[in-house]
Structures are given as structure tokens and as C-alpha cells.
Amino acid sequence: MKMATTAAQIGLDRETRTGAVTVPIYQTATFRHPGLGRSTGYDYSRSGNPTRQALEEGIALMEGGCRGFAYASGMAAITSLMFLFSQGDHLIVTEDLYGGSYRLFEKIFQQFGLSFSYVDTSDTEAVRRAIRPNTRALFVESLTNPLLKVADIKTLASLCRDNGFLCVVDNTFLTPYLLRPLDLGADITVYSGSKYLAGHNDTVCGLVAVKDPKLAELVYFHQNGAGAVLGPQDSWLTIRGMKTLTIRMDRQQENAQAIAQWLQQHPHVGRVYYPGLPDHPGHQLIKEQCRGFGAMIAFEVTQSHLVDRLLMRTQLISFAESLGGVESLITFPQVQTHADIEPETLQRLGINHLLLRLSVGIEDKDDLIADLEQAFAEGELP
Ligand SMILES: *Cc1c(COP(=O)(O)O)cnc(C)c1O
């Protein structure tokens, strides 16, 4: 089945007693046992809850994985995956990574004896050079945040396989609609479902899909053992969001392409980072590997006072962190999402005092462009 069909049908067909078309919210902590040593399949909601399970089956289907998992946040999902590793293990990680993942690795998991090397994962050779005898995984963002570098997941996954370590892909910016990393050989896909999957800026959640049943068993053991599971209400909201992923993404991409082209010709704009632009370094690769270019844009303004002006004056586009929802958002990565990364690293990567990031929503593109236009215009700040 095509992705639009799989997505729209998540949770359907589960409830046989009443025939409810949407999966009910099983707001229960525990489940009655039918007899001694017997179970309905559900015992306690940390270990398994039918609403969460509908979501977990949904993400597994959308990813082509054997099993899916839902967590209280994207960070909870990534934390749970780190339990696959032990003291002394080394991971290779995308360098212009989500700031929260960097903080988790450097400030928390380093204390437990894991070590991390940060490399440009759009450069497969750089990944190869970073391999050590104790490397246990590559943690790669398929499309990076905020500079939108594109990783060659197929080549990287085979590099991981040849060297006997795991390929874990944070595919938050692309979603399974645009890229299915497990099909290309990756072992695990992880999402901040708070972004495109839930899609409405109303829920925080994390999702994981795993290809191999034995590995999935271990991921389940950690999910239940550490317990950072997604509650039934938020599982339901996430399912509701995921049903419309494909049509939202189609619209968001169309808007993003138009806005990126508009920004490119604007006199107050310098570099524009959008993989749908032919001069973007990852353009060819993303065209070959993915179904689309996504709806995130980063761009530099020509003078630093324009940063403040855009953040304060856009009316439709909200100055807020996060991304992927139906409402357009603008943020200032250096100060907001990437504040935990060392200043020298930010400077080297190009995450500077002129760089803004746009998450393009489903609004009308002409209205969004008009909003940016009036924000750029001369005059007093309000
Ligand atoms: C937001 C985000 C995360 C963290 O997810 P939360 O749901 O906010 O905990 C991880 N990776 C990427 C790429 C993200 O954008």
C-alpha cells in the first residue's frame, strides 16, 4: 500500500466490541487478568497499552519495520536507544545535530563512559575515517538541523553493516513519507514525533522503528525497563496527526519551494539553504534518495539588525522553537535551538548571528511571502 493509505488507516479495525472507527483512548493504568497466569495481552500500561500499540504498529508499517515504539518525547526515544550501548562504546554522530541530542550525548551519556565523534555525515569518507575499534553505532540525521545537509543513508548503512555496527537514523526532518531509512539498510529510525508526524504543534512525542526482531526485543526491554512511554491521550493525538502526514507534507513542501526561491532573490538575504534549490550541495542526492525536499529552510540575512526585525515583525509566522506543524514558525538557531553547542563549533558549521530557520506550514504561500515581505520592509519596529 502507498503511504497515504497506510497513514490514514492507522488504528482502524482494532476495536471489535463497538466497531469504533478511531482507536479508543484506553486511559487505564492496569488491566484485569482473566485468570491465574492468564492475560488479555495487556497487564500494565507502561508495558503495553492498546492506544499506544496502535500508534506503534502504525509507525512500524509506515517505516517498513518489524516493530515500532512510542516514547514521551524525541529525547526520551533517543535516550532509550542509548541503553543499547555500554561503557567504553564509541558512536559516530552528525556534527550539525539537533542541539538537544548533542546535550544528551555530551552532558549526560559521556558521564556513563560513552564517547562520541562528531563528523559531517554528508561526507561518507569522513564517517569512514572516524571509525574506531570500539565504534558501536552511527547516529545520523538524514537531513540536518539547521543547515539541511543530506546524508547518503544507503552508502552509510552499508558502511555500518560492513564494519559490524548499528546505523541509527534520526529522520525527523524527512519523515517516512519522504525517506524510509530501513529500506536503505538502516537498523533503527528515530523520530521526534512532535514535529511532522504529530504535525500540529500540540503534542510532544518520540517514535522508533526497528528492522530486526531480535534488536526490537532489546529496544522493547529498554522501553519497558526505563519507562519513558507515551501516554494514551498523546498516542491518540499523534495517530490523528499522522493520518494526514502526506497531504500536509505535500503542501508544506510546495510552500517551502516557493518561499526558498523568493528568499533567494531578496536583496536582504544572503545564503539560502533548501535542498530543493538546484545549487544546494545535497540537491542531487536527495532527489535520488527521497520523495521530496522537506519543508525546512535556513537562510542568512545580510545584516544582524534584520534578525530582530524578522523575529519581531512577522505576524503569521510565529517566533517559536520546534518545526513541522501546520503553523509556520521562525527561529534563531544560534540562540534558541543550538545554544548548548560550543560557539567555535557553531561558527565553523555556519550557524551564525545572521542565520534564521523557517519551518514552513500549510498556510497559503502568498500570505507567508507577504508576511516576510512586510517584516523585511523599512520603518520603525513596532
Ligand atoms: C525536536 C528534535 C528532537 C527532539 O525531540 P523532542 O520531541 O523535542 O524531544 C530530536 N531530533 C531532531 C532532529 C529534532 O528536530
Side-chain angles (χ1 to χ4, degrees):
M1 261 187 304
K2 297 274 174 29
M3 186 66 69
T5 313
T6 308
Q9 305 255 330
I10 297 174
L12 204 124
D13 229 1
R14 296 187 54 82
E15 215 274 290
T16 47
R17 195 171 63 88
T18 67
V21 168
T22 60
V23 65
I25 302 172
Y26 286 89
Q27 191 65 50
T28 184
T30 190
F31 300 84
R32 256 194 339 266
H33 299 302
L36 195 62
R38 288 170 58 208
S39 166
T40 59
Y42 300 99
D43 302 307
Y44 184 60
S45 276
R46 169 162 41 73
S47 311
N49 174 285
T51 316
R52 191 178 89 225
Q53 196 180 331
L55 169 61
E56 291 176 330
E57 287 171 9
I59 190 66
L61 271 175
M62 285 170 82
E63 286 288 328
C66 78
R67 199 158 165 186
F69 302 93
Y71 299 86
S73 67
M75 292 322 302
I78 296 171
T79 298
S80 247
L81 293 179
M82 288 301 118
F83 299 145
L84 292 167
F85 309 107
S86 319
Q87 192 169 21
D89 288 353
H90 170 251
L91 286 87
I92 302 169
V93 178
T94 299
E95 63 176 359
D96 60 323
L97 159 89
Y98 177 70
S101 303
Y102 179 80
R103 180 177 56 196
L104 176 73
F105 297 159
E106 286 304 296
K107 305 274 162 72
I108 301 178
F109 277 102
Q110 234 196 66
Q111 296 183 93
F112 296 95
L114 298 187
S115 63
F116 303 88
S117 296
Y118 299 89
V119 305
D120 179 353
T121 45
S122 69
D123 176 355
T124 304
E125 280 315 302
V127 175
R128 191 191 306 277
R129 284 195 301 274
I131 298 173
R132 298 183 193 165
N134 59 337
T135 302
R136 294 290 171 264
L138 169 68
F139 183 92
V140 52
E141 288 188 7
S142 47
L143 184 60
T144 68
N145 173 20
L147 295 175
L148 307 162
K149 288 188 183 170
V150 184
D152 182 349
I153 298 300
K154 196 170 171 188
T155 309
L156 289 172
S158 70
L159 181 70
C160 294
R161 199 173 332 105
D162 293 348
N163 287 276
F165 57 83
L166 293 175
C167 182
V168 182
V169 181
D170 181 336
N171 196 36
T172 298
F173 275 37
L174 287 170
T175 79
Y177 179 44
L178 302 185
L179 175 72
R180 298 215 317 177
L182 303 185
D183 290 349
L184 300 180
D187 299 290
I188 298 176
T189 331
V190 57
Y191 289 98
S192 169
S194 326
K195 315 295 169 55
Y196 289 99
L197 288 166
H200 293 73
N201 291 320
D202 59 7
T203 318
V204 170
C205 69
L207 294 168
V208 161
V210 182
K211 194 164 60 182
D212 171 67
K214 262 179 71 186
L215 183 60
E217 206 43 58
L218 199 54
V219 172
Y220 174 70
F221 181 77
H222 295 147
Q223 183 198 35
N224 183 44
V229 293
L230 192 64
Q233 306 258 357
D234 286 344
S235 295
W236 188 90
L237 264 177
T238 304
I239 291 171
R240 157 129 102 182
M242 281 162 69
K243 286 172 180 282
T244 56
L245 170 70
T246 62
I247 51 174
R248 282 186 283 109
M249 189 54 108
D250 285 343
R251 172 63 165 257
Q252 284 171 273
Q253 294 195 109
E254 184 192 321
N255 286 353
Q257 185 76 38
I259 293 170
Q261 284 167 0
W262 179 83
L263 284 168
Q264 227 180 6
Q265 53 71 49
H266 196 283
H268 290 330
V269 175
R271 289 194 64 168
V272 178
Y273 301 86
Y274 180 64
L277 296 174
D279 64 354
H280 186 279
H283 180 69
Q284 205 47 44
L285 175 61
I286 197 170
K287 243 169 90 170
E288 286 162 21
Q289 189 173 257
C290 304
R291 195 196 175 99
F293 306 117
M296 297 299 298
I297 302 172
F299 64 99
E300 281 178 8
V301 290
T302 50
Q303 291 162 15
S304 62
H305 79 276
L306 292 169
V307 167
D308 207 40
R309 186 187 286 181
L310 280 189
L311 295 177
M312 291 302 108
R313 276 200 191 165
T314 45
Q315 318 252 306
L316 287 176
I317 305 172
S318 301
F319 172 29
E321 279 161 72
S322 201
L323 59 112
V326 291
E327 303 93 355
S328 295
L329 305 179
I330 188 164
T331 192
F332 186 27
Q334 187 192 51
V335 173
Q336 306 285 310
T337 50
H338 289 63
D340 284 294
I341 299 180
E342 274 78 38
E344 311 81 70
T345 312
L346 290 180
Q347 208 52 43
R348 181 172 56 77
L349 295 175
I351 303 171
N352 59 35
H353 66 294
L354 299 172
L355 188 81
L356 291 169
R357 187 188 78 183
L358 260 183
S359 169
V360 180
I362 65 165
E363 302 93 339
D364 187 279
K365 60 177 176 284
D366 295 338
D367 289 336
L368 293 173
I369 289 173
D371 192 33
L372 289 166
E373 179 84 81
Q374 65 78 28
F376 268 121
E378 291 298 331
E380 292 301 306
L381 285 172

